[in-house]
Amino acid sequence: MANRRLFLFLILMLLSFQTLLTTAHEDPSYKEVQVGVLLDMESWVGKIVYGCITQAISDFYTENPHYRTRLVFTKRDTQGETLRALSAALDLLENSKVKAIIGPESTAQARFLENPYFLRIAEDETTQFKGIAGMVESFEAKNVIVICEDTTDGREMAAYMFSAFQEKRIQVKHTSLISTSASKEQVEEDLHKLQTMETMVFVVHTQPSLTAHLFSRAKELGMMGEGYMWIITSKTTNLLNSMDAEAIKSMQGAVGFRSYFPASRKLYNFASKWREEHYALNPFKEFKELDIVGTSLLDEMLRLNFQSLGGEFKLLNGRTISKAMEVVNVIGKGDRRVGFWMMANGGEFVKEIGKSNSFSNHGLESIIWPGGSETSPK
């Protein structure tokens, strides 16, 4: 079902809390557990995460009425800024005395907050850049143009992408940084410049609203025709099923990398319940998560190894172990899976997980590129 992949975060968070709650339960008296929430409260991500947190905690206490603890949330609005996120995290830890922190949303903010008690449960969005560089290499393209947001996070992600392409000896001809509040005219002006650069391979790492804006203008300028290659990252693809029909129509032929979690009945049920309760207020979904905790809780969490809604969950060096990303092709009213990028052994593309690669079409199913062509652009 649409966006079922995105609910893994809430279940992992819930299981982290279960450890925390078990620790608190050792005290026979009723106990409140202080938890900080560090999000951009005006972003799609922040609004959806907070709504999902409410449901996850409600579900937990419904299923575990014997716990004599209650989570008390203290919110801090990062406004999408890295320094504000750091300041808010310190305030939560030192003044509010929280036992854990949920958030922040971006990789740049997460990296800035790293310390010995930092556990990264969400996927590191930079991991996919190696897969994207591998895809561009497999289709024998020599040059690319990278498009990111003109933010601290966007500039940092652009640098990581540059390194990934450099490892494959692929030249980044230009990096375009676009303001998240850019007007139609500003986006068109930037795309006009890109048209003159003799490169028709673009990699886009922007939030869905800006991505939709960008592709709409690109289509108007004839940049979604045959010969173009557009690759979008999970920052948009994880939310693809929440984008409107016009946005999807303008993105026809694009290829995207998406977080992959195996389908299950529990995952379906959780997503269905969330959608029923929150969809009318929050039509878009995406989230990121990290925990900052004390030593005893940290030790317990490092030993966690269980089957979550998203498959096996365990930590290695304080990070979750991701095995695969889904590769999709934007076609028709949505997308279709064309294969997977397997992260082990340097990364390879396969049509199906667990089956040997036929090595035809670079390990992926046939891709319909912009303009309807099945011949890969260079």
Side-chain angles (χ1 to χ4, degrees):
M1 66 169 287
N3 294 324
R4 62 173 178 251
R5 305 160 186 81
L6 302 178
F7 291 92
L8 173 65
F9 160 77
L10 271 306
I11 300 309
L12 296 181
M13 178 203 73
L14 189 57
L15 285 163
S16 299
F17 283 162
Q18 183 173 358
T19 305
L20 189 152
L21 291 170
T22 301
T23 303
H25 184 56
E26 294 172 358
D27 183 346
S29 62
Y30 180 88
K31 186 174 183 178
E32 290 186 344
V33 180
Q34 301 294 326
V35 177
V37 178
L38 197 61
L39 298 167
D40 180 352
M41 296 301 180
E42 295 303 314
S43 70
W44 291 3
V45 178
K47 290 177 181 178
I48 300 312
V49 172
Y50 199 70
C52 287
I53 288 172
T54 303
Q55 180 189 318
I57 297 305
S58 174
D59 288 352
F60 180 87
Y61 284 120
T62 298
E63 296 175 10
N64 300 277
H66 59 286
Y67 280 108
R68 299 172 64 86
T69 58
R70 287 296 180 269
L71 297 179
V72 178
F73 293 104
T74 302
K75 295 187 293 183
R76 291 290 184 272
D77 186 359
T78 68
Q79 298 181 18
E81 294 296 329
T82 299
L83 291 178
R84 190 179 290 271
L86 175 62
S87 174
L90 292 174
D91 176 61
L92 287 169
L93 290 168
E94 295 175 3
N95 300 321
S96 299
K97 306 300 181 184
V98 298
K99 301 296 184 182
I101 294 178
I102 303 169
E105 302 153 37
S106 76
T107 294
Q109 291 178 23
R111 290 181 186 280
F112 209 75
L113 293 176
E114 284 194 19
N115 64 50
Y117 300 111
F118 170 70
L119 299 181
R120 188 177 183 84
I121 291 178
E123 287 182 337
D124 185 339
E125 61 187 328
T126 64
T127 303
Q128 66 191 301
F129 298 160
K130 291 186 177 181
I132 291 171
M135 171 177 280
V136 172
E137 179 189 42
S138 71
F139 288 113
E140 300 179 359
K142 304 300 183 184
N143 306 291
V144 298
I145 289 174
V146 169
I147 301 176
C148 290
E149 298 168 2
D150 191 8
T151 62
T152 301
D153 182 65
R155 289 185 287 273
E156 184 172 340
M157 294 303 101
Y160 278 107
M161 264 196 270
F162 182 89
S163 296
F165 285 118
Q166 191 174 47
E167 288 180 11
K168 297 293 185 180
R169 300 183 184 277
I170 297 169
Q171 182 181 7
V172 177
K173 294 280 285 187
H174 181 72
T175 297
S176 177
L177 299 173
I178 301 179
S179 169
T180 54
S181 59
S183 66
K184 174 181 176 179
E185 292 72 25
Q186 290 171 324
V187 173
E188 285 186 355
E189 181 180 353
D190 203 72
L191 288 173
H192 274 304
K193 293 178 182 177
L194 301 185
Q195 281 183 307
T196 68
M197 295 184 179
E198 301 179 356
T199 298
M200 300 174 75
V201 180
F202 299 89
V203 179
V204 180
H205 185 69
T206 56
Q207 59 182 283
S209 57
L210 181 55
T211 301
H213 197 31
L214 177 71
F215 275 94
S216 175
R217 305 286 85 77
K219 184 180 179 183
E220 290 180 5
L221 295 174
M223 298 175 70
M224 293 303 297
E226 189 169 346
Y228 283 92
M229 178 189 293
W230 290 85
I231 301 175
I232 52 179
T233 68
S234 62
K235 189 162 188 173
T236 287
T237 317
N238 279 352
L239 287 159
L240 199 61
N241 292 324
S242 296
M243 298 177 74
D244 63 43
E246 283 303 310
I248 297 298
K249 187 176 179 180
S250 70
M251 296 169 67
Q252 295 294 294
V255 173
F257 279 59
R258 181 161 64 194
S259 302
Y260 173 67
F261 306 119
S264 70
R265 174 56 57 181
K266 288 184 177 181
L267 182 61
Y268 178 89
N269 290 341
F270 183 87
S272 295
K273 182 178 179 181
W274 189 94
R275 184 172 58 181
E276 290 172 3
E277 294 184 3
H278 297 281
Y279 188 80
L281 294 176
N282 301 292
F284 306 103
K285 314 170 182 68
E286 185 194 16
F287 26 77
K288 293 281 180 189
E289 194 270 345
L290 68 85
D291 280 345
I292 301 177
V293 294
T295 8
S296 58
L297 179 55
L298 177 67
D299 292 340
E300 290 296 322
M301 293 181 71
L302 288 173
R303 287 195 288 268
L304 287 176
N305 189 351
F306 54 82
Q307 287 296 318
S308 71
L309 291 192
E312 182 184 20
F313 172 79
K314 61 181 178 180
L315 295 167
L316 178 65
N317 298 324
R319 295 172 180 265
T320 49
I321 302 172
S322 299
K323 297 180 180 179
M325 292 198 77
E326 191 175 11
V327 182
V328 300
N329 189 193
V330 182
I331 291 294
K333 296 181 179 180
D335 63 80
R336 67 180 181 91
R337 178 190 295 164
V338 295
F340 299 89
W341 179 60
M342 308 303 295
M343 301 181 190
N345 302 320
E348 68 168 336
F349 292 96
V350 298
K351 292 184 174 70
E352 293 185 49
I353 294 177
K355 294 189 177 181
S356 58
N357 199 343
S358 66
F359 296 101
S360 62
N361 197 28
H362 310 279
L364 298 171
E365 300 287 354
S366 177
I367 295 173
I368 308 300
W369 299 100
S373 173
E374 291 189 34
T375 302
S376 62
K378 303 296 185 187

